[in-house]
Amino acid sequence: MKTVITVAIVEDKEPIRQSLAILVDGAEGYSCQATFENAEAALDYLPTHAVDVVLMDIDLPGMNGIDCVRHLKALCPYTQFMMCTMYDEDETVFDALKAGANAYILKRSPPHKLLEAITELHEGGAPMSSTIARKIASSFYTSQAVSPELEALSSREREILDRLAKGHSHKEVANELFISPTTVRKHIFNIYGKLQVHSRVEAINKYLGRK
Amino acid sequence: MKTVITVAIVEDKEPIRQSLAILVDGAEGYSCQATFENAEAALDYLPTHAVDVVLMDIDLPGMNGIDCVRHLKALCPYTQFMMCTMYDEDETVFDALKAGANAYILKRSPPHKLLEAITELHEGGAPMSSTIARKIASSFYTSQAVSPELEALSSREREILDRLAKGHSHKEVANELFISPTTVRKHIFNIYGKLQVHSRVEAINKYLGRK
DNA sequence: TTGAAAATCATACAAATGGCGTATTGTCGG
DNA sequence: CCGACAATACGCCATTTGTATGATTTTCAA
């Protein structure tokens, strides 16, 4: 049996929307079921007319493509979402993935690549433009240089900082470790010195590596 | 000028190592500079004889491929590492990426795909077997259940909480938002009520989804 | 064993924070 | 128009926290 991959397109610019639709419909094995010029229309239609793959522009008038995916993902669990955008900015990429996007390609990709990507996506892959893929892979890399500052902490200091990070007060930590609250405060003071910060939240951010 | 991509191979099984080397050396534009049958030998040689791309098996006798990458990455910043393995287990994949691997492909990939991957890697991409790519993309997806409590926050409250999370004091936030410190404190008080917490760090933990 | 670093504790002070009550203004949906 | 709610703002109080000075004991490597 021949499997046809059903596709929907969300893109506000008329010419781009048209050419994408023609590209998809013209290729064997693909069928463009619907096109929308904004997120709201897609949210209205797709939950009751599920398709295999949605090509989603990010920069839309009104609700943006990322929020649109976030909503649709919950309503159409079997639909795959491919973000299609002009830009490859860091935050946008990660926000899209967090929202549930399964693929992220740049509009400047050649048409045949687009069709390949749709197939790959439908077969369980996660096609990404190469620069995007590199960004994502790199995001996991934490140069094992845990920042020399953290290395300077003694094990006791680390234990205390860890409990502070859980939201405990110095009194609570004192009780947990069976030491005086003053001692805990002294440790905290020393920790601040080593990490070169002046508040609890700053220390915790350094400890947990959030910048 | 023609650019030749220099490659090194770390793989303990003799026949596989040989066939990979022949594959790489036989193709135009690729040159296999060295092969190693264990991580230690690679760690010994590569820091002083950098190559463009290293194909790294994970399951090695002695030190495993992931730890090997971790060490080499610090010493050979311009070298790209491609993990080459039989398995696609979750933890292994993420550990490899955290260690600094730039690509992750399964050995069952066809030879021509391997060469393509080397090129893509060298050109700044991050080739992944499709199942791997999907795993990675999915790892970002946090079912939008942001905990109903966070939903209760107004946008102003969210903005303030976000700045607190960066380590700013209420006075600093007040200056940033051009409102009175008292107002900021009132907001913080309301935030605590909605999140059902009693301290700044607890609120931030809920906000950032750390449990 | 000797010296440095770490861990412990005390006291003190000022600033920041947590926990209220109250009030004004503006917006929005019924 | 009314009630609900968000945002703004002030004041008051008790506690926590950041900073500082000083001291004793443990630990561990040189």
Side-chain angles (χ1 to χ4, degrees):
Chain A
M1 85 169 240
K2 93 175 177 189
T3 310
V4 171
I5 302 177
T6 57
V7 178
I9 296 168
V10 186
E11 162 67 61
D12 60 323
K13 266 101 37 196
E14 162 84 20
I16 300 181
R17 187 170 68 250
Q18 290 299 327
S19 50
L20 283 176
I22 291 170
L23 172 69
V24 168
D25 253 342
E28 181 125 16
Y30 303 86
S31 168
C32 181
Q33 302 280 296
T35 66
F36 312 95
E37 56 184 273
N38 59 59
E40 290 77 6
L43 274 174
D44 201 46
Y45 178 91
L46 289 175
T48 52
H49 303 75
V51 296
D52 295 323
V53 171
V54 174
L55 303 192
M56 179 75 69
D57 185 29
I58 289 188
D59 201 13
L60 297 169
M63 178 185 289
N64 68 50
I66 292 178
D67 288 331
C68 185
V69 167
R70 205 190 320 279
H71 286 104
L72 283 174
K73 192 73 187 174
L75 302 169
C76 312
Y78 298 112
T79 298
Q80 314 286 343
F81 295 88
M82 181 150 84
M83 306 312 287
C84 246
T85 179
M86 300 291 277
Y87 319 101
D88 61 346
E89 281 145 52
D90 283 38
E91 278 319 299
T92 314
V93 175
F94 293 115
D95 286 347
L97 291 178
K98 285 177 196 160
N102 305 102
Y104 199 111
I105 66 166
L106 297 179
K107 280 184 183 167
R108 68 179 84 108
S109 307
H112 76 275
K113 279 279 182 187
L114 185 68
L115 291 176
E116 273 177 34
I118 294 177
T119 302
E120 189 184 337
L121 176 58
H122 186 246
E123 287 174 351
M128 303 279 170
S129 294
S130 61
T131 57
I132 308 285
R134 175 60 67 100
K135 267 188 220 295
I136 297 169
S138 303
S139 75
F140 287 91
Y141 178 49
T142 48
S143 58
Q144 77 302 325
V146 194
S147 108
E149 294 165 337
L150 281 188
E151 287 303 316
L153 296 181
S154 72
S155 62
R156 192 56 154 176
E157 288 166 343
R158 243 186 289 268
E159 182 170 23
I160 287 171
L161 185 48
D162 195 75
R163 287 162 196 269
L164 291 183
K166 291 190 167 72
H168 302 179
S169 71
H170 63 119
K171 280 192 179 179
E172 289 170 331
V173 174
N175 286 331
E176 293 161 14
L177 300 181
F178 307 105
I179 56 180
S180 155
T182 24
T183 304
V184 175
R185 299 184 63 204
K186 177 70 166 173
H187 280 306
I188 295 173
F189 182 67
N190 291 333
I191 290 170
Y192 290 178
K194 289 183 180 179
L195 299 189
Q196 303 179 78
V197 298
H198 304 278
S199 83
R200 189 159 300 199
V201 179
E202 286 179 303
I204 293 171
N205 282 343
K206 280 216 175 186
Y207 177 59
L208 299 180
R210 338 257 150 173
K211 296 288 142 55
Chain B
M1 88 169 237
K2 94 177 181 191
T3 310
V4 171
I5 302 177
T6 55
V7 178
I9 296 168
V10 186
E11 162 68 64
D12 59 322
K13 266 98 44 192
E14 162 84 20
I16 299 181
R17 188 171 67 247
Q18 289 300 327
S19 50
L20 283 175
I22 291 170
L23 171 69
V24 169
D25 252 342
E28 180 126 16
Y30 303 87
S31 168
C32 181
Q33 301 282 297
T35 66
F36 311 94
E37 56 183 271
N38 59 59
E40 290 76 6
L43 274 174
D44 201 46
Y45 179 90
L46 289 175
T48 52
H49 302 74
V51 295
D52 294 323
V53 171
V54 174
L55 303 191
M56 178 76 68
D57 184 29
I58 290 188
D59 202 13
L60 296 169
M63 177 185 289
N64 69 49
I66 292 177
D67 288 330
C68 185
V69 167
R70 204 188 322 276
H71 285 104
L72 283 175
K73 192 72 185 175
L75 303 169
C76 312
Y78 298 112
T79 298
Q80 314 287 344
F81 295 89
M82 181 150 82
M83 307 312 288
C84 245
T85 177
M86 302 290 278
Y87 320 101
D88 61 347
E89 282 145 53
D90 284 37
E91 276 322 298
T92 314
V93 175
F94 293 115
D95 286 347
L97 291 178
K98 285 177 198 161
N102 306 100
Y104 199 112
I105 66 166
L106 298 177
K107 280 185 185 167
R108 67 179 85 108
S109 306
H112 77 275
K113 280 277 183 189
L114 184 68
L115 290 177
E116 273 177 33
I118 294 177
T119 301
E120 190 184 335
L121 175 58
H122 186 247
E123 287 172 351
M128 303 278 170
S129 294
S130 60
T131 57
I132 307 285
R134 176 58 69 99
K135 267 189 221 295
I136 295 170
S138 302
S139 73
F140 286 91
Y141 178 49
T142 47
S143 58
Q144 77 306 324
V146 196
S147 110
E149 293 165 338
L150 282 188
E151 286 303 316
L153 296 182
S154 72
S155 63
R156 192 57 155 174
E157 288 166 343
R158 243 186 289 269
E159 183 169 22
I160 287 171
L161 185 47
D162 194 76
R163 288 162 196 268
L164 292 183
K166 291 188 167 72
H168 302 179
S169 71
H170 63 147
K171 280 191 179 178
E172 289 170 332
V173 174
N175 287 329
E176 292 160 15
L177 300 182
F178 306 106
I179 55 180
S180 154
T182 337
T183 305
V184 175
R185 299 187 61 202
K186 181 63 170 174
H187 280 305
I188 295 173
F189 177 69
N190 291 332
I191 290 169
Y192 290 178
K194 289 183 180 178
L195 299 188
Q196 302 179 78
V197 298
H198 307 277
S199 81
R200 189 161 299 200
V201 179
E202 286 179 302
I204 293 171
N205 283 343
K206 279 215 176 188
Y207 176 60
L208 298 181
R210 315 169 178 153
K211 285 294 135 54

